[in-house]
């Protein structure tokens, strides 16, 4: 079974935070989940608020559990709010259906997990996640 190693998860986090800093973003928090929605690694930048773990987790968890990135979840919420509300209920209220939840795939398209980023605008969060994932040699589905 393909997976994201702890070493690679740490690389994703480091490169995501580096991207955010270089782009002048607000302090970011980043989580990497495996394909079952379990945390591999998490970091919160200095100055990031303490509630950012739950938001980052919710972005990544929604992406991996629904098999769609946060941008697609947000569109679905706009088009069919009842679906996202029901999915959120079924998954314990843990979804944060906005950009910043990014699926991670290998070169063959296999789902490895997801990255959740929070702290700046949702679109900037997603861009930082994409940069981190690609810097680790993986593919990002934003």
């Amino acid at each position: 079974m393909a997976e994201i190693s702890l070493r690679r998860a740490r690389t994703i986090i480091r490169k995501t935070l580096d991207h955010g800093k270089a782009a002048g973003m607000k302090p970011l928090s980043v989580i990497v989940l495996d394909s079952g929605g379990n945390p591999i690694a998490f970091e919160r930048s200095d100055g990031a608020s303490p509630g950012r773990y739950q938001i980052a987790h919710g972005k990544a968890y929604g992406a991996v559990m629904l098999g769609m990135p946060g941008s697609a979840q947000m569109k679905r919420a706009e088009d069919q709010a009842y679906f996202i509300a029901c999915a959120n209920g079924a998954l314990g209220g843990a979804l944060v259906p906005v950009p910043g939840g990014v699926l991670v795939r290998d070169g063959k398209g296999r789902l490895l997990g997801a990255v959740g980023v929070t702290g700046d605008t949702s679109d900037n969060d997603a861009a930082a996640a994409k940069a981190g994932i690609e810097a680790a040699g993986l593919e990002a589905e934003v």
Side-chain angles (χ1 to χ4, degrees):
M1 179 173 149
E3 61 183 47
I4 302 170
S5 67
L6 177 59
R7 182 181 180 133
R8 195 169 249 177
R10 287 178 173 158
T11 298
I12 291 169
I13 289 171
R14 185 178 72 253
K15 296 299 186 177
T16 298
L17 295 175
D18 289 349
H19 177 88
K21 189 171 187 173
M25 293 180 191
K26 295 176 183 174
L28 300 179
S29 296
V30 186
I31 193 166
V32 180
L33 304 182
D34 66 18
S35 61
N38 303 298
I40 300 169
F42 170 80
E43 275 193 44
R44 180 171 60 94
S45 296
D46 292 341
S49 60
R52 293 297 178 169
Y53 174 87
Q54 289 82 356
I55 297 169
H57 181 270
K59 288 182 175 189
Y61 191 71
V64 78
M65 289 293 117
L66 297 177
M68 64 175 78
S71 58
Q73 292 174 60
M74 186 171 82
K75 173 126 178 56
R76 188 81 182 260
E78 291 167 349
D79 294 344
Q80 295 178 308
Y82 60 88
F83 171 78
I84 293 295
C86 291
N88 201 15
L91 295 169
L95 304 184
V96 178
V98 297
V102 179
L103 292 172
V104 180
R105 297 189 183 274
D106 67 12
K108 295 180 180 178
R110 291 179 294 203
L111 180 65
L112 303 179
V115 172
V117 178
T118 183
D120 205 271
T121 67
S122 293
D123 289 337
N124 283 346
D125 293 344
K130 183 178 188 292
I133 292 164
E134 291 176 350
L138 298 168
E139 296 179 8
E141 186 180 339
V142 182

